[in-house]
Amino acid sequence: MREKKEGANIMNHLVRHIPSIHELQQTNQFHTFLHHHHLSMERGTDLLKQVISICRASILNEDWDGPHPSSTDFIDEVVGQTDVLTRKFHSLSLRRIINATGTILHTNLGRARLGQETMNHVMAASCHYSNLEYDIDEGVRGSRHSHAERLICELTGAEAAMVVNNNAAAVFLILTALAKNKEVIVSRGELVEIGGSFRISSIMEESGAFLHEVGTTNKTHLKDYDEAVNDETRMIMKVHQSNFVIKGFTATVQTEELAELSRMHSNVHYYEDLGSGALYDFTRLGIGNEPMVKSVLDKGADIVSFSGDKLLGGPQAGIIAGQKGLIDQLKKHQLARVLRVDKMTLAALEMTLLQYIKGEEQEKNPTIRAITRPKEEILHQSRKFVEDVQGLGIGYTSSIIEGQSQIGGGTMPDVELGTYLVAVSHPLFSSQDVHEKLRKGKPSILTRIQDNVALLDLRTVSMDEQMEILHALKNIQGTD
């Protein structure tokens, strides 16, 4: 107890010697700091107070190992920490990352990346005025829905379409506008939870629609839906299991059957939440079994929704397509304005969709390109990379092994794409060191660590990025 009291006395003694803010404001160090960062006295003082508060807490917690508060060195320490804090505040938080993990739609890294042609259109729309809500031909106010709608309808065969800010928003709008205070029938096996702990059942509850569960986790039959329909039923909903797979003793009801069932009951709509939303037929290349949006609508769905930044390979958006009468109701709902997208999202989506219409998606859409890359092409790129690593002449060794790439983003969870991985090692650094030093560099480079080996999957790396990785590896040699 006595030692504890003595320690407290020492800490309080140190705290009492901390210079006042007024004293610190008068120092040459502080004025040099203000000049260097072009800060006002008021702003600089606010930052200084934050650092002093941190120092005081550190002293009282007996964590302080810096100079004595009465010394000149303490002033240097405080101003130095204030400088660090300022640089942190003045730096951009969103940073570029080179994704060498091979996971194409990496949710933590922003999912789909956009091609150059798409970004050029986004830049034009954002740097200049545009006809976002202006009809050039008629000279009157237009609708922002029109820009993407015509392309979505062309690609899916839908009567009408609209775009909101993500697919969770699309689900929420559809349920709120079309089924509020009414029942929505959903299979228990489709009550999925998507990223960030968002559950379909919770979204439905927030929308005001009443969940009517049918079937079991692994088996749901048509009769389960049929027996559940009553006077309060407004919708039959099917949720695509895009982020998980149930195998074994299972049964699900097909789109055609549910569409036919809904048509047998007046005022009951059939809605299919497709999640990933494929406009490209990956099945023809033997990649997964993702349903095409057009095929689902052709089979009788009244309305569908899907993401823009997953298999579509566009910006984050929730795309809704289907019968004109239903889409018109959604457009008129007050939530439509709350959930609408901006001009940059529409520009990115418009160009992405136009590339599909022109048959250029495999060439110009980075997501489609990465998913469909031939394994032999990745091998050729990997061999060139290994040669370049060896050519650095600074101790690195590298080799090529076969592996698997993931599509990611909660999409096609059971699909693995054959790839080649480059293993990189250095006698002076562990694989974990190489992995961490690349991650903390500029730009940040993400690799895999597997069996204590640093691995790079070049499926998701461009040739320009490959040169940057080589440069980063060379720089590691000069670090501690």
Side-chain angles (χ1 to χ4, degrees), residues 188-445:
R188 285 188 175 87
E190 295 172 3
L191 292 175
V192 302
E193 178 178 304
I194 58 178
S197 300
F198 290 98
R199 297 179 176 180
I200 288 293
S201 56
S202 298
I203 293 175
M204 189 174 294
E205 181 180 349
E206 292 293 332
S207 74
F210 300 122
L211 171 65
H212 190 149
E213 300 178 36
V214 297
T216 63
T217 302
N218 61 318
K219 279 200 169 191
T220 305
H221 303 281
L222 182 60
K223 69 175 182 178
D224 296 320
Y225 289 94
D226 190 19
E227 292 172 356
V229 176
N230 59 64
D231 292 341
E232 295 300 311
T233 304
R234 183 53 50 87
M235 183 177 291
I236 296 173
M237 180 180 180
K238 184 176 180 65
V239 183
H240 183 54
Q241 299 171 354
S242 60
N243 60 354
F244 72 100
V245 176
I246 297 178
K247 294 183 178 181
F249 194 56
T250 65
T252 58
V253 184
Q254 300 303 307
T255 295
E256 303 95 314
E257 297 174 288
L258 292 177
E260 178 62 29
L261 176 62
S262 70
R263 286 194 291 268
M264 294 170 58
H265 302 273
S266 60
N267 296 321
V268 175
H269 310 302
Y270 175 53
Y271 162 42
E272 192 154 332
D273 172 20
L274 294 170
S276 300
L279 297 182
Y280 182 90
D281 187 3
F282 294 101
T283 61
R284 67 183 182 183
L285 298 178
I287 301 174
N289 58 358
E290 195 74 16
M292 296 277 286
V293 176
K294 187 178 189 307
S295 69
V296 173
L297 288 169
D298 287 345
K299 290 174 181 177
D302 297 321
I303 193 167
V304 299
S305 68
F306 52 98
S307 295
D309 60 346
K310 291 188 178 181
L311 291 180
L312 183 67
Q316 177 180 298
I319 302 171
I320 306 170
Q323 293 179 0
K324 187 177 185 306
L326 299 180
I327 300 296
D328 285 345
Q329 288 185 58
L330 301 183
K331 289 178 180 177
K332 294 174 183 177
H333 197 277
Q334 289 299 312
L335 276 177
R337 184 176 181 85
V338 176
L339 304 174
R340 73 182 186 179
V341 295
D342 70 341
K343 59 187 177 183
M344 290 182 282
T345 300
L346 283 172
L349 182 59
E350 180 182 39
M351 182 57 76
T352 301
L353 295 170
L354 184 60
Q355 289 168 353
Y356 277 96
I357 287 177
K358 296 166 70 174
E360 299 173 340
E361 68 273 21
Q362 193 165 5
E363 173 191 353
K364 296 182 177 180
N365 187 311
T367 297
I368 306 300
R369 176 69 180 135
I371 293 174
T372 61
R373 281 191 75 182
K375 191 177 175 182
E376 295 72 22
E377 183 181 298
I378 300 172
L379 176 60
H380 177 75
Q381 183 180 354
S382 299
R383 284 172 174 166
K384 177 66 169 65
F385 183 70
V386 167
E387 290 176 7
D388 291 340
V389 170
Q390 301 299 121
L392 292 175
I394 51 177
Y396 282 105
T397 58
S398 57
S399 60
I400 299 173
I401 60 175
E402 291 196 63
Q404 304 291 331
S405 302
Q406 301 291 325
I407 294 178
T411 298
M412 296 192 197
D414 58 339
V415 173
E416 292 185 331
L417 304 172
T419 192
Y420 289 95
L421 308 170
V422 178
V424 176
S425 60
H426 193 282
L428 300 180
F429 306 105
S430 69
S431 295
Q432 188 65 37
D433 286 338
V434 173
H435 172 77
E436 290 186 4
K437 288 177 183 293
L438 288 175
R439 188 185 78 239
K440 295 178 181 179
K442 292 184 179 181
S444 175
I445 300 167

Side-chain angles (χ1 to χ4, degrees), residues 145-163:
H145 295 301
S146 63
H147 303 290
E149 182 173 28
R150 62 185 180 87
L151 301 173
I152 297 168
C153 292
E154 176 71 21
L155 288 164
T156 65
E159 294 178 0
M162 67 180 295
V163 181

